[in-house]
Amino acid sequence: MKRVLVLGGSWFLGRAVVDDALARGWDVTTFRRGISGDDAPGTTTIRGDRTDPADLQRLVAAGSWDAVIDTSGFVPREALQIARALEPVAERYVFVSTVSVYEDWPTAPLTEESAVLECPTDAGPDFGYDGDPGPSIYGFTKAGCEHAVVEVFGSDRSVLLRPGVILGPREYVGRLPWWLRRTERGGRVLAPGRPERPIQPIDVRDVAGFAVNSAVGTAGVFNLTATGQDTMNDFLVACRETVGSDARFEWIADEEWLIGQGVQQWTELPLWRSYAGAWAVDSSRARAAGLVTRDIRETVGDTWSWLQSGGAAVGHERAAEQGISPDKERQILAAWDALNVPQ
């Protein structure tokens, strides 16, 4: 039986990792503060803060493990501290990072060989800067966490996972839940960009499955995205069919016009981003290592079932950013109609 330590384990991806490992019959320990979310049944839970040396000592004393899966590392100096503490009692460190670590995301296509942002391993939570559309503090600090893990565990005992947008049950950002609720209201729906644009959101359970596989699989760096076979139209149609509404999509392909109306990409119309690299992340390396991604319709349907059964995301400040207001949507559609009145 494999023994795995999950740093986090109650929220979205962390909980999916725990569920996947338990389903394999593994011995799962979670290390979390217990401030939000619930402990997964069947796990050994150690309460503690990753910034507290005394808590880390208690954690180390509960080892050893075949692997650590870190779903909650965001600050480089904290990642360095916990990696150093766990190195003697863990064979491998699987760190869940992000495509935001790349210098050129979201403006250019990416592979694992693309340049990564520079961030020292002792950096704090505010290192870097937020560009538009360029780098973000989030990307800089995640890059610093990656460097910290590799510095301590070495490249032969480290796995760096770089997922793109993750959707599915228990999603706390609220991108897919917003679209489901919007299509549920029905009527005329503002649909951004081209309907045939390929998109690459990945199901949380597929990321979790690959992360658990990585606990005993090949070390290295892996992008995790869907194939890009699904389009924005596929996604919105799946939402409409899942909720059973009369939603009618008004596709506005003139994205410059839409931006000129003050619509915020990525947040007011979730998943909409006009930049060339937003949905051009190559994940063929992960697929060769066993990554399998499900159809977007399954992700949409299962998320709706979760919501309908009383599921509610853990409160998160980013959720408030998601979605355009009904009034603003109506105003933009009216402006679009006025622009396209037949002469």
Side-chain angles (χ1 to χ4, degrees):
M1 178 188 297
K2 298 298 182 182
R3 298 193 74 224
V4 62
L5 169 64
V6 180
L7 304 182
S10 65
W11 280 27
F12 185 39
L13 176 58
R15 182 57 182 269
V17 167
V18 168
D19 290 346
D20 190 286
L22 288 173
R24 302 181 193 213
W26 288 15
D27 184 306
V28 180
T29 300
T30 60
F31 178 67
R32 51 185 297 267
R33 294 175 298 174
I35 294 175
S36 59
D38 300 315
D39 296 323
T43 62
T44 298
T45 300
I46 300 174
R47 288 277 184 266
D49 189 316
R50 61 193 296 154
T51 66
D52 188 323
D55 288 347
L56 293 185
Q57 288 180 0
R58 287 192 300 105
L59 176 62
V60 169
S64 59
W65 294 278
D66 294 292
V68 178
I69 302 178
D70 188 352
T71 66
S72 58
F74 298 96
V75 180
R77 65 188 179 211
E78 294 173 8
L80 183 64
Q81 180 181 28
I82 200 166
R84 285 173 172 169
L86 292 172
E87 191 276 331
V89 294
E91 290 299 316
R92 173 172 295 198
Y93 203 112
V94 180
F95 181 73
V96 180
S97 186
T98 169
V99 294
S100 295
V101 300
Y102 290 114
E103 289 183 0
D104 290 334
W105 194 84
T107 57
L110 300 169
T111 72
E112 288 87 353
E113 309 308 318
S114 300
V116 172
L117 297 168
E118 290 296 328
C119 177
T121 59
D122 61 353
D126 300 322
F127 184 89
Y129 60 92
D130 289 325
D132 184 17
S136 63
I137 291 174
Y138 172 64
F140 276 107
T141 54
K142 275 290 196 178
C145 291
E146 288 188 0
H147 298 327
V149 170
V150 175
E151 179 179 305
V152 175
F153 275 77
S155 58
D156 59 333
R157 296 170 60 203
S158 303
V159 182
L160 306 178
L161 305 181
R162 296 171 179 164
V165 173
I166 306 175
L167 303 178
R170 295 196 182 96
E171 184 202 335
Y172 63 84
V173 175
R175 296 183 176 104
L176 175 49
W178 185 84
W179 277 115
L180 285 166
R181 295 302 188 192
R182 175 61 193 93
T183 52
E184 182 187 25
R185 294 203 312 269
R188 196 172 176 216
V189 178
L190 197 168
R194 297 176 292 105
E196 70 273 14
R197 170 177 285 153
I199 59 174
Q200 295 179 291
I202 186 169
D203 191 287
V204 63
R205 295 161 292 185
D206 298 333
V207 177
F210 192 83
V212 176
N213 286 343
S214 297
V216 293
T218 304
V221 181
F222 299 94
N223 294 333
L224 302 181
T225 60
T227 60
Q229 294 178 335
D230 293 314
T231 66
M232 193 66 182
N233 185 64
D234 292 332
F235 172 71
L236 292 185
V237 168
C239 289
R240 180 176 62 193
E241 293 178 348
T242 295
V243 303
S245 79
D246 65 352
R248 305 182 310 280
F249 302 119
E250 181 66 46
W251 291 95
I252 298 182
D254 189 342
E255 294 177 305
E256 290 303 317
W257 181 87
L258 200 54
I259 293 168
Q261 302 304 300
V263 180
Q264 297 298 312
Q265 298 190 53
W266 212 235
T267 52
E268 283 195 299
L269 293 172
L271 305 187
W272 170 51
R273 208 151 199 177
S274 61
Y275 307 112
W279 301 114
V281 180
D282 178 53
S283 59
S284 57
R285 179 184 293 179
R287 294 182 187 284
L291 174 66
V292 177
T293 54
R294 66 198 70 200
D295 189 281
I296 191 68
R297 295 160 189 81
E298 182 177 349
T299 302
V300 170
D302 290 349
T303 302
W304 182 244
S305 295
W306 168 68
L307 290 171
Q308 292 297 99
S309 66
V314 175
H316 195 279
E317 64 271 12
R318 291 173 66 190
E321 302 173 353
Q322 304 303 312
I324 192 170
S325 72
D327 285 345
K328 186 172 182 178
E329 182 183 28
R330 283 192 293 269
Q331 291 168 7
I332 291 173
L333 288 173
W336 181 248
D337 290 341
L339 189 68
N340 291 277
V341 172
Q343 301 298 318

